[in-house]
Amino acid sequence: MVKVHSYLCRLVINNMENKLKCKIGPSILNADLSQLYVESQKLLDSGADYLHLDVMDGNFVPNLTFGHPVVKCLRKKIPNAFFETHMMVANPEKWIEPMAEANVNLYTFHIEPVINDVIKVCRKVKEAGMKVGLALKPGTGIEDVRQYIDHADIILVMTVEPGFGGQRFMSDMMPKVQWLRHNYPLLDIEVDGGVGLSTITACAEAGANMIVSGTAIIESIDQAAVIASLRETVESSIHKCNV
């Protein structure tokens, strides 16, 4: 009887672990970076599941943001939060070790500049102790990432051109999300760019469960309310995938 009970408990736990979960990760790109710790902690206190940290090199994208020294400093202030670095850089392999040393949890890089070396970069990210995210620019099709999906923990579908905050949401990216959800029912699928209260329904219904939202959360007078609303919309659709 004890063995049966233990087996059933494991089945329940495994079933819970294998279900999709909604995760809201505010982007701090439009926050007051002079108050990075204060702004980040406020987002976490308002219900954020993780922080989405946009790293730009001025090469892959025209803008510059910050690198591993800033992330490392932020980690010292916030030791337990889940950090995703969105590496909008021309050479993602170069920054794997520095970001691992900064205790980044999820290293998401664009496949476009390393299209022939994606598996090698994935392997090095995992060897460094981080989860792997593969990001697609709007012009990059699903066919370009299909062979690499099994090597990744998440797929990030960009719904704006990477490099700038405050852009208009591209609804024509939703078929990518739909294809991923149909073919990979338990995959973490992230959307980033122009996601807010007016566009979250499209993302949720397409099958996204990881939501990056910058301007809509950062510029709100009630960040907790916005995060809660985004979560409610996603969770109302996500049960369809948890079968």
Side-chain angles (χ1 to χ4, degrees):
M1 180 65 69
V2 173
K3 289 183 178 180
V4 171
H5 178 72
S6 177
Y7 173 72
L8 290 175
C9 286
R10 288 199 303 272
L11 280 180
V12 171
I13 291 172
N14 289 337
N15 188 45
M16 290 174 63
E17 289 178 346
N18 288 334
K19 285 189 175 183
L20 283 175
K21 297 178 182 178
C22 171
K23 303 168 190 175
I24 308 295
S27 167
I28 63 164
L29 185 60
N30 291 330
D32 180 356
L33 296 182
S34 70
Q35 301 290 325
L36 182 56
Y37 161 62
V38 174
E39 296 263 345
S40 298
Q41 188 61 57
K42 181 183 176 184
L43 291 165
L44 293 167
D45 292 342
S46 295
D49 297 292
Y50 65 104
L51 294 178
H52 183 89
L53 308 175
D54 293 298
V55 178
M56 305 180 191
D57 65 354
N59 189 352
F60 179 68
V61 294
N63 278 345
L64 284 168
T65 52
F66 49 79
H68 61 278
V70 172
V71 177
K72 192 171 185 178
C73 289
L74 184 62
R75 173 57 83 193
K76 289 179 181 179
K77 290 282 191 177
I78 308 177
N80 298 318
F82 192 97
F83 284 5
E84 176 190 17
T85 50
H86 179 187
M87 306 299 296
M88 289 173 268
V89 298
N91 185 5
E93 188 174 351
K94 179 179 179 180
W95 308 109
I96 293 172
E97 288 300 330
M99 287 302 182
E101 290 175 3
N103 290 320
V104 166
N105 304 97
L106 170 59
Y107 190 90
T108 298
F109 66 94
H110 277 265
I111 68 171
E112 294 88 3
V114 289
I115 194 64
N116 295 318
D117 294 308
V118 172
I119 294 177
K120 180 178 76 170
V121 178
C122 288
R123 184 180 70 251
K124 290 192 173 184
V125 172
K126 290 183 179 179
E127 289 173 351
M130 297 179 288
K131 291 187 174 183
V132 175
L134 300 180
L136 311 179
K137 294 173 67 174
T140 302
I142 286 295
E143 64 276 4
D144 293 316
V145 78
R146 287 178 67 170
Q147 62 184 310
Y148 307 123
I149 294 174
D150 290 336
H151 297 272
D153 295 289
I154 77 150
I155 301 296
L156 166 56
V157 175
M158 291 296 297
T159 47
V160 297
E161 290 295 337
F164 302 91
Q167 296 182 62
R168 184 182 296 274
F169 176 79
M170 300 171 70
S171 60
D172 55 346
M173 294 299 105
M174 291 304 96
K176 294 183 186 179
V177 177
Q178 292 169 341
W179 186 92
L180 287 166
R181 179 58 65 219
H182 176 75
N183 289 279
Y184 296 86
L186 295 177
L187 177 68
D188 278 326
I189 303 171
E190 187 176 48
V191 287
D192 177 14
V195 180
L197 297 179
S198 64
T199 56
I200 186 61
T201 298
C203 298
E205 291 182 350
N209 68 300
M210 292 183 66
I211 307 299
V212 178
S213 181
T215 304
I217 295 175
I218 298 297
E219 296 186 357
S220 172
I221 60 173
D222 190 343
Q223 294 181 347
V226 174
I227 291 173
S229 181
L230 295 173
R231 188 184 308 281
E232 181 181 7
T233 302
V234 174
E235 289 182 344
S236 69
S237 295
I238 207 170
H239 73 279
K240 299 174 184 176
C241 304
N242 288 331
V243 294

